[in-house]
Amino acid sequence: MVKLFEPMTIKGVTFKNRIVMAPMCMYQSDQEDGSITDWHRIHYPSRAVGGTGLIILEATAVQPQGRISSHDLGIWEDSHIDGLAEIVRLTKLNGARVGIQLAHAGRKATVDGEIHAPSPLPFSDKYKRPTEMSKKDIQQTVEAFRKAAIRADSAGFDVIELHGAHGYLLNEFLSPLTNKRTDVYGGSAENRYRLLREVTDAVNEVWDKPLFVRISAHDYTEGGMTPDHYIEMALWMKQQGVDLIDVSSGALVPAKIPVYPGYQVNFAETIKHQAGIATGAVGLITSPLHAEEILQNGRADMIFLARELLRDPYWAFRAAKELDAEIEAPVPYERGWV
């Protein structure tokens, strides 16, 4: 059987194939209050019509000051639930499972007012200097993730992904390049992991469906994190009940990244085999044959597509044709999908 179209079940939730739409910021919440707009109502369900098995909504802020921009989606208050539930309903109606990425931008937030980070280090001279988080700030943020998980459950999501990558808050705590704290949240790997541990525990108190974590497995900077460093943290995630690690890289600090098709797959493979946890491969995977190779050789368990699904919402249909796999077409499209 073609592995790309083999179902996968996690905690009783079955995904019809291994194709995942990776979270990508849309910056289309034009009301500046984090609400769903017509853009989202069209964008996400269309990828479900195209055959994608799991669609993960963009980075969705758990606190207002944790937005990357004032046009980010939000899940920091109950008023967001109805709009998010509508996206879930429309997307599931077309055969996909739906996830949401819970996020806090940390020092990369560009909203007005004070922004937070583990240490008062700006991302670059073009970004604001963040305020070092107090223990009270940290506790409030952990609680914000917990409440966001409750809202995600109320909205009907199948998957939560915690955004621990790309230089945002959780990632900033994980790496020694951005975490210069001397308290229990800084220093050793165990201390730097503490915030993600507390967030994961808080989410697990109120959430019993699949839980993913996205990481930046390589900082591409001397003294930063590498896949080998993340093996220990991946083992901790596994012990806490994380089901899959979505393995990305970079964006913690300005750095030159060698980019080529599948440039992050080796990172997913290392973590999968060394930590014994399911992983998702992402990063310039555009060819169905390449995706199939990754799965057939046991290098990852799911294929996360980003920009390729912006170019081609029907990538799953194209992949089925190229790999000679049969997939179920939406009834109105049957005449064109033969």
Side-chain angles (χ1 to χ4, degrees):
M1 182 177 183
V2 176
K3 191 80 172 178
L4 189 63
F5 292 97
E6 184 178 290
M8 182 175 181
T9 300
I10 301 174
K11 287 179 179 169
V13 176
T14 298
F15 308 95
K16 67 180 180 181
N17 57 46
R18 307 298 180 96
I19 304 167
V20 182
M21 182 176 180
M24 290 174 280
C25 292
M26 294 290 104
Y27 306 116
Q28 290 298 312
S29 185
D30 55 16
Q31 300 169 45
E32 298 194 7
D33 64 357
S35 296
I36 289 291
T37 67
D38 285 345
W39 171 266
H40 304 99
R41 295 181 181 96
I42 294 169
H43 174 65
Y44 291 111
S46 67
R47 273 69 190 173
V49 171
T52 302
L54 169 62
I55 294 170
I56 304 180
L57 268 64
E58 62 209 75
T60 306
V62 301
Q63 292 177 306
Q65 73 270 31
R67 291 173 290 171
I68 303 167
S69 82
S70 59
H71 297 287
D72 287 11
L73 280 185
I75 192 169
W76 65 78
E77 57 187 30
D78 289 350
S79 64
H80 292 128
I81 295 173
D82 287 348
L84 293 168
E86 184 180 13
I87 298 301
V88 171
R89 181 185 67 80
L90 291 170
T91 306
K92 286 187 177 182
L93 187 66
N94 290 292
R97 292 291 190 172
V98 194
I100 186 168
Q101 187 184 65
L102 302 183
H104 190 298
R107 71 177 187 168
K108 294 178 86 173
T110 62
V111 293
D112 293 336
E114 186 179 61
I115 62 172
H116 288 155
S119 302
L121 306 171
F123 176 72
S124 72
D125 58 10
K126 296 181 180 179
Y127 283 74
K128 290 194 293 188
R129 180 175 294 276
T131 298
E132 181 172 309
M133 296 177 77
S134 66
K135 288 186 178 179
K136 181 179 179 181
D137 294 329
I138 290 172
Q139 290 168 357
Q140 290 174 342
T141 299
V142 171
E143 179 64 8
F145 273 97
R146 190 186 73 84
K147 289 181 176 178
I150 293 172
R151 295 182 186 111
D153 192 29
S154 296
F157 286 98
D158 300 299
V159 173
I160 283 177
E161 178 173 279
L162 301 177
H163 199 350
H166 301 163
Y168 300 124
L169 186 69
L170 297 179
N171 188 193
E172 292 163 19
F173 271 86
L174 294 174
S175 176
L177 295 178
T178 45
N179 185 343
K180 304 298 183 181
R181 300 175 72 97
T182 57
D183 63 2
V184 296
Y185 290 95
S188 68
E190 186 174 7
N191 281 358
R192 286 183 278 111
Y193 181 77
R194 191 178 304 276
L195 176 59
L196 179 55
R197 178 181 296 281
E198 291 179 357
V199 167
T200 302
D201 284 344
V203 168
N204 278 330
E205 287 177 8
V206 298
W207 178 264
D208 60 4
K209 289 177 278 190
L211 179 63
F212 298 178
V213 176
R214 172 166 271 200
I215 64 169
S216 280
H218 206 309
D219 291 339
Y220 302 101
T221 300
E222 186 177 354
M225 296 290 285
T226 68
D228 288 339
H229 292 131
Y230 267 107
I231 291 169
E232 182 178 38
M233 291 185 177
L235 287 167
W236 293 335
M237 293 181 212
K238 182 180 178 182
Q239 290 168 1
Q240 287 187 270
V242 171
D243 299 292
L244 180 142
I245 300 177
D246 171 8
V247 185
S248 188
S249 69
L252 176 79
V253 294
K256 187 175 182 180
I257 301 174
V259 174
Y260 50 87
Y263 70 102
Q264 296 169 150
V265 175
N266 286 342
F267 306 155
E269 185 174 13
T270 295
I271 290 169
K272 173 180 169 64
H273 292 294
Q274 295 298 316
I277 191 169
T279 60
V282 63
L284 291 185
I285 300 169
T286 61
S287 161
L289 283 172
H290 186 194
E292 184 68 9
E293 178 274 320
I294 293 166
L295 296 174
Q296 288 286 355
N297 287 319
R299 305 176 70 193
D301 300 274
M302 301 184 94
I303 303 296
F304 283 62
L305 302 177
R307 296 177 193 180
E308 188 63 11
L309 278 175
L310 298 182
R311 291 184 284 266
D312 183 3
Y314 304 99
W315 188 89
F317 167 60
R318 176 164 67 86
K321 289 179 66 177
E322 289 189 23
L323 298 173
D324 195 26
E326 290 189 11
I327 63 171
E328 187 175 347
V331 172
Y333 286 11
E334 286 178 347
R335 72 190 78 179
W337 281 26
V338 295

